[in-house]
Amino acid sequence: MTLTLADIFAARARIDGVAARTPLVPSPHATALHGDDVLLKLEIAQPIGAFKLRGAVNAVFALGDDVAGVTCCSTGNHGRGVAYAARARGIRAVICMSSRVPQVKIDGIKALGAEVRIGGKSQDEALAASRKLAEKEGFAEISPFDDPLVVAGQGTIGLEMLEDRPDLAAILVPLSGGGLAGGVALAAKAIKPDIKVIGISMDRGAAMKASVDAGHPVEVEEVASLADSLGGGIGLDNRVSFALCRDLLDDIVLVSEDEIYRAMQALYYEDRLVAEGASAVGIAALASGRLGDLGGPVATIISGRNVDMAVFTDIMCGKDVRLGDLTVTGRLYEGSTK
Ligand SMILES: *Cc1c(COP(=O)(O)O)cnc(C)c1O
C-alpha cells in the first residue's frame, strides 16, 4: 500500500463540508522564543475539538453502503471522530476504550450517539476488543492511525498549512501512532521536499520513537501523561504509519511532563487557547531549545482541546498534578521565558 499526494487530495474532497478547514494563526510569544514566525494550526476548531475528525470522516465516508456499522479503539479523540462521522453518515458506531481514558472523553462520545465499551487497561487491549467486535458483527474497524484512509485524512492538514504559508521551513507534529505525522509529512514533503517535519512525543512511553530507534515496531509500557492523547502503542503489526514516520520524519524529539505543563500554561496565558497536553508538545519542544536551527518560519499543530477541565484548571492555577507515580510540581505562569 503506497500512499501518494493524490490520496490526500481525494481525502480533502471527501471530507469537505464535514471536517473544517482550520485557521493557521501567529503566536507572538512563541515567535519571540524562536526568533522567526511561529504559527499555530488550530485543529481545536474542528467540530469535535480535535483533528481526528479528518481521518475518521475520510475512512467512514469511503465505506460501501452495505456496512453494518463501524468500530474502533480510542484514547478519546478518534472515538469522537468516528462517532461524529458515523452519525453524519447515519450508521451505527461502537467505540472500545481502555479504563485509562478520562471521563470527559467518554461523555463526549456518548453525546454523539455512539455506544461505548470499556475494557482492559491499555490501548492494545481496547484494540483487541474492537477487532473481535468487527469480526463477530461485520463492523468495519477503523484504526486511529494505521489505516491509509485515516492517514490521508490527517494529511489534509499539511496541504492547508502550505497553502496558507508556503514559506514554512518546519512543521512540529504531536506524535503518537503516527497517523498525523505520517500524513502531514507525506503531504508537506510532496509539495515542498526540503521542509522539515519533526515529530514530538512525551518522554515517558513514546512508542514511535522507540520503534524507529529499534528499526521495527516495539511495545512500550503505557504510563500516565499530561499528553494522554499521545499514549499507547503503534501496533506490532503496523502496516502504514511506522514506515511513513521512519522514512519521512527528520527527527523525533521528546519533551518532559514539566515542559508540557509550562507549554499548556503558555498557550492559555499568551495565546488564550484551551489546549490538551498533546497539543502543547510543539511549543514545549521549541521552549526546550532542543530543536536546533529550523531555518525559518515554523508551524505546530494544536491538535485537540479535549482536556479534563479539573486538571486544566489545576495547571492554570499552578497546582501540582499527580500522574501515577510521578508528580509534576506546580508553578504559576510567569512569562514564556524560563
Ligand atoms: C491522536 C492524537 C494525536 C496523535 O496522533 P497520531 O496519529 O496517533 O500520532 C495528537 N494529538 C491529539 C489531540 C490526538 O488526539
Side-chain angles (χ1 to χ4, degrees):
M1 167 78 232
T2 24
L3 271 173
T4 66
L5 187 60
D7 296 302
I8 297 175
F9 277 107
R12 160 133 90 188
R14 202 177 282 120
I15 72 176
D16 184 39
V18 184
R21 190 192 201 287
T22 57
L24 184 68
V25 301
S27 172
H29 86 95
T31 295
L33 269 178
H34 173 49
D36 204 329
D37 284 355
V38 176
L39 299 127
L40 309 176
K41 179 65 168 165
L42 298 186
E43 287 300 300
I44 55 180
Q46 290 294 350
I48 63 154
F51 75 89
K52 287 225 172 55
L53 186 61
R54 295 175 187 256
V57 171
N58 195 38
V60 169
F61 279 58
L63 292 168
D65 286 334
D66 54 342
V67 69
V70 290
T71 179
C72 68
C73 74
S74 171
T75 54
N77 286 328
H78 177 61
R80 274 192 194 220
V82 169
Y84 189 98
R87 192 178 62 177
R89 240 203 96 167
I91 60 178
R92 239 181 108 198
V94 179
I95 315 299
C96 301
M97 294 183 174
S98 86
S99 54
R100 282 182 197 276
V101 172
Q103 187 63 37
V104 59
K105 292 190 169 176
I106 298 169
D107 295 344
I109 284 171
K110 285 188 177 160
L112 290 170
E115 291 164 51
V116 173
R117 292 194 195 162
I118 306 285
K121 281 202 186 59
S122 70
Q123 273 290 96
D124 291 338
E125 284 176 68
L127 176 63
S130 164
R131 287 200 174 151
K132 212 187 222 164
L133 184 80
E135 222 168 85
K136 238 176 63 193
E137 301 193 29
F139 278 33
E141 190 241 321
I142 299 175
S143 162
F145 53 83
D146 198 29
D147 176 316
L149 289 161
V150 170
V151 173
Q154 323 305 30
T156 58
I157 297 170
L159 295 184
E160 293 174 12
M161 290 169 99
L162 278 171
E163 280 166 2
D164 290 356
R165 286 294 297 254
D167 61 332
L168 285 179
I171 302 177
L172 311 177
V173 190
L175 172 64
S176 177
L180 177 61
V184 167
L186 184 70
K189 294 204 167 189
I191 295 167
K192 186 173 184 179
D194 64 342
I195 195 168
K196 283 188 186 148
V197 182
I198 301 172
I200 321 284
S201 301
M202 67 289 188
D203 62 8
R204 308 187 335 139
M208 186 60 82
K209 167 80 173 144
S211 299
V212 168
D213 286 350
H216 56 87
V218 295
E219 271 177 46
V220 294
E221 197 198 336
E222 206 176 315
V223 291
S225 170
L226 290 176
D228 54 89
S229 288
L230 301 186
I234 70 163
L236 291 178
D237 56 350
N238 189 292
R239 299 175 299 151
V240 188
S241 64
F242 169 71
L244 282 173
C245 289
R246 179 195 59 200
D247 296 345
L248 297 179
L249 294 184
D250 294 277
D251 200 0
I252 299 175
V253 170
L254 304 183
V255 293
S256 70
E257 297 299 324
D258 197 58
E259 289 166 336
I260 296 169
Y261 183 107
R262 312 276 165 232
M264 288 174 75
Q265 287 184 325
L267 282 169
Y268 181 69
Y269 285 108
E270 305 285 353
D271 302 292
R272 302 294 199 264
L273 297 177
V274 175
E276 49 178 285
S279 291
V281 295
I283 293 300
L286 264 182
S288 78
R290 232 167 280 142
L291 291 173
D293 183 17
L294 297 171
V298 45
T300 186
I301 300 169
I302 306 301
S303 50
R305 61 159 189 231
N306 297 320
V307 59
D308 185 319
M309 282 312 280
V311 175
F312 184 81
T313 45
D314 278 355
I315 294 172
M316 296 315 131
C317 296
K319 291 190 183 153
D320 290 358
V321 177
R322 274 206 71 83
L323 294 168
D325 55 359
L326 180 86
T327 298
V328 188
T329 307
R331 198 207 296 167
L332 279 169
Y333 185 67
E334 288 170 346
S336 56
T337 45
K338 290 194 291 178

